[in-house]
């Protein structure tokens, strides 16, 4: 008996590692299926709007209603989850979404579709906050190397697999059948979430209070303090611009493919899918390469140039190859932008929870504003001209943050080259 005692810690560690691996696999599977369902529903809602013969602005209203509701529901969702059972809440919300998608294709007008999509967004905000909170709670055990897995997997489902699945279902079975299958997937998610999520109240302010009891939390916390830091100002700005641009292109990429490229409806989703896949590849596989590179700042500035190049191509050169190339550039640029912004905030002396909440809220608000503004501008100035208009804020931000940094580096170099050397000095 005594000989077996030294092996008990190893057995406990092995069992713990096995439990963490099992949780991660189950959680990532749930995240992927959740992302697929959300991405599929984006396509279904867009094509439902086209079926109802809506204008560009009305289509933007349908798409942005969900995003706006997600933004408004983020803070209440955190409050509810801090006092409720995530397993029960996730299952109940998923079943409510299943019922909503059974009703959607039979609604008589776009206003009703937009209203129900707003209610859908409120439900999805609760689901997303539940899953992200559970993941953050387990992340210290999983290791920081897994920090990008949740977002990367969610984007893979939302922007690549989901649109493709929605497109295939509509092509094979029709629009109404696609909505019914989506409702079935929400019901399946309710069952899966019941088995994956914990059956207890999520820790809300408990951890911060323990830390506060040990030592004061370091770093800026209030919005005024945060905005005094240049790294926070630039991160907030580029994240808002990125969500603004991604939502605009996401809403109208299907429209571009159908109306500008004259692709069949069942092929139109590929512009969205290619962008999403490019972004996911960066998030999942290029993090170490980008963040550890000696040329990290150049890659960051280059990513923003890639986004601007994509907008320029979408506005000036309509063509299948050009638009697919623009989708790749946009996905790569958005992926590198997110990697560097996330790492900058991780290294900055700030309250991470407060900044994370700000970025989530700003991203959703930026996405909503981008879709609505793009819809209005598309009706007034033409769909392709919207992307040329979006170049202006990107160019201004690039000149302020990257151009000024280049000038500061160039000035000392120029001065040193003009200074007399020891050999030329009299």
């Amino acid at each position: 008996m005594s000989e077996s005692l030294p092996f008990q810690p190893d057995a406990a560690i092995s069992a713990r590692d096995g439990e963490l691996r099992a949780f991660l696999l189950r959680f990532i599977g749930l995240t992927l299926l959740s992302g697929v369902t959300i991405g599929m529903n984006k396509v279904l809602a867009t094509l439902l709007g086209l079926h109802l013969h809506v204008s560009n602005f009305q289509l933007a209203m349908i798409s942005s209603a969900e995003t706006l509701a997600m933004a408004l529901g983020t803070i209440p969702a955190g409050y509810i989850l801090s006092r409720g059972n995530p397993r029960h809440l996730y299952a109940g919300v998923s079943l409510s979404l299943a019922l909503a998608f059974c009703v959607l294709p039979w609604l008589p007008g776009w206003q009703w579709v937009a209203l129900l999509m707003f209610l859908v967004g409120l439900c999805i905000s609760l689901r997303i906050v539940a899953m992200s909170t559970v993941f953050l709670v387990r992340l210290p055990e999983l290791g920081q190397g897994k920090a990008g897995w949740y977002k990367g997997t969610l984007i893979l489902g939302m922007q690549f697999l989901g649109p493709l699945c929605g497109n295939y279902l509509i092509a094979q079975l029709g629009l109404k059948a696609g909505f019914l299958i989506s409702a079935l997937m929400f019901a399946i998610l309710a069952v899966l979430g019941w088995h994956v999520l914990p059956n207890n109240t999520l820790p809300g302010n408990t951890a911060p209070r323990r830390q506060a009891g040990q030592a004061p939390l370091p770093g800026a916390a209030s919005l005024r303090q945060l905005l005094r830091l240049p790294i926070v100002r630039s991160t907030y700005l580029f994240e808002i611009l990125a969500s603004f641009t991604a939502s605009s292109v996401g809403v109208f990429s299907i429209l571009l493919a159908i109306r500008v490229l004259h692709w069949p409806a069942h092929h139109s989703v590929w512009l969205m899918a290619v962008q999403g896949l490019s972004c996911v590849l960066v998030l999942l596989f290029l993090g170490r390469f980008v963040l550890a590179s000696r040329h990290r700042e150049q890659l960051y500035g280059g990513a923003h140039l890639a986004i601007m190049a994509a907008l320029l191509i979408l506005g000036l050169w309509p063509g299948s190859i050009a638009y697919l190339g623009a989708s790749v550039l946009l996905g790569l640029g958005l992926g590198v932008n997110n990697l560097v912004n996330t790492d900058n905030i991780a290294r900055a002396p700030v309250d991470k929870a407060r900044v994370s909440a700000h970025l989530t809220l700003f991203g959703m608000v930026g996405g909503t504003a981008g879709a609505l503004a793009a819809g209005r501008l598309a009706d007034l100035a033409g769909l392709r001209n919207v992307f040329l208009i979006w170049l202006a804020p990107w160019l201004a931000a690039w000149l302020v943050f990257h151009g000024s940094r280049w000038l500061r580096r160039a000035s000392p170099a120029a001065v040193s080259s003009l200074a007399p050397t020891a050999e030329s000095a009299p």
Side-chain angles (χ1 to χ4, degrees):
M1 290 293 293
S2 59
E3 294 179 357
S4 63
L5 289 177
F7 296 98
Q8 288 180 353
D10 292 339
I13 292 173
S14 178
R16 183 62 175 167
D17 289 343
E19 189 272 331
L20 287 175
R21 282 194 299 270
F23 166 78
L24 184 62
L25 289 175
R26 292 195 303 267
F27 187 86
I28 291 302
L30 181 67
T31 302
L32 182 61
L33 186 57
S34 180
V36 167
T37 308
I38 295 171
M40 189 170 71
N41 294 336
K42 283 285 186 184
V43 175
L44 291 171
T46 299
L47 293 179
L48 178 60
L50 294 178
H51 177 73
L52 295 174
H53 306 291
V54 299
S55 67
N56 292 326
F57 182 69
Q58 290 166 349
L59 182 63
M61 286 286 289
I62 291 173
S63 177
S64 62
E66 180 182 356
T67 308
L68 175 62
M70 289 168 65
L72 294 176
T74 298
I75 295 176
Y79 179 84
I80 293 170
L81 280 163
S82 68
R83 289 156 177 78
N85 187 306
R87 177 184 292 180
H88 295 165
L89 290 169
Y90 187 93
V93 165
S94 297
L95 291 175
S96 300
L97 288 168
L99 179 62
F101 275 83
C102 287
V103 174
L104 259 172
W106 280 271
L107 294 177
W110 73 270
Q111 300 95 330
W112 294 104
V113 174
L115 177 61
L116 190 53
M117 290 303 293
F118 182 85
L119 298 177
V120 165
L122 291 177
C123 293
I124 288 179
S125 68
L126 189 62
R127 283 160 40 94
I128 289 178
V129 172
M131 293 186 66
S132 63
T133 305
V134 169
F135 187 71
L136 287 173
V137 168
R138 300 299 300 268
L139 186 57
E141 303 169 83
L142 298 170
Q144 291 298 319
K146 305 293 191 300
W149 283 33
Y150 171 67
K151 185 167 186 177
T153 306
L154 191 64
I155 292 177
L156 177 63
M158 289 174 59
Q159 296 188 14
F160 182 70
L161 296 176
L164 291 181
C165 290
N167 180 64
Y168 177 81
L169 288 175
I170 293 169
Q172 299 297 319
L173 303 174
L175 188 61
K176 292 182 178 179
F179 276 100
L180 293 178
I181 292 175
S182 178
L184 177 62
M185 290 179 68
F186 276 121
I188 294 172
L189 282 168
V191 176
L192 292 178
W194 188 270
H195 289 88
V196 174
L197 299 181
N199 187 29
N200 61 314
T201 303
L202 292 174
N205 298 324
T206 310
R209 281 198 297 267
R210 283 199 303 266
Q211 293 174 1
Q214 296 169 0
L217 286 172
S222 72
L223 184 59
R224 180 175 297 180
Q225 289 175 322
L226 290 168
L227 292 178
R228 290 188 186 134
L229 302 175
I231 193 67
V232 174
R233 290 199 301 270
S234 63
T235 298
Y236 280 12
L237 175 62
F238 283 119
E239 279 295 307
I240 290 172
L241 283 175
S243 62
F244 205 82
T245 304
S247 70
S248 302
V249 177
V251 171
F252 292 108
S253 59
I254 292 177
L255 215 57
L256 281 172
I258 294 174
R259 295 183 180 175
V260 177
L261 300 180
H262 306 293
W263 287 5
H266 59 281
H267 289 162
S268 60
V269 75
W270 275 102
L271 287 182
M272 183 190 299
V274 167
Q275 176 200 328
L277 183 60
S278 302
C279 185
V280 167
L281 290 175
V282 172
L283 288 173
L284 293 183
F285 300 111
L286 295 184
R288 188 182 299 274
F289 170 78
V290 172
L291 299 177
S293 173
R294 293 187 298 112
H295 307 290
R296 168 185 167 134
E297 289 302 322
Q298 289 86 339
L299 290 171
Y300 190 45
H304 298 151
L305 287 175
I307 293 171
M308 288 190 278
L311 293 173
L312 194 65
I313 293 170
L314 292 171
L316 294 181
W317 290 288
S320 298
I321 300 300
Y323 275 14
L324 286 171
S327 297
V328 171
L329 283 175
L330 186 61
L332 294 177
L334 292 174
V336 173
N337 176 74
N338 183 263
L339 278 176
V340 177
N341 287 340
T342 302
D343 190 65
N344 284 343
I345 290 300
R347 295 168 181 269
V350 296
D351 183 330
K352 303 300 189 293
R354 190 68 57 87
V355 172
S356 178
H358 288 162
L359 288 175
T360 301
L361 186 60
F362 291 164
M364 291 180 178
V365 172
T368 303
L372 290 175
R376 175 57 68 191
L377 289 171
D379 286 336
L380 296 176
L383 185 57
R384 286 164 50 196
N385 290 329
V386 172
F387 304 109
L388 299 178
I389 295 171
W390 277 184
L391 277 172
W394 273 107
L395 183 59
W398 195 94
L399 291 174
V400 168
F401 287 98
H402 298 299
S404 60
R405 186 180 292 115
W406 181 83
L407 287 175
R408 285 196 299 270
R409 279 200 300 263
S411 297
V415 170
S416 62
S417 65
L418 293 174
T421 62
E423 295 179 356
S424 62

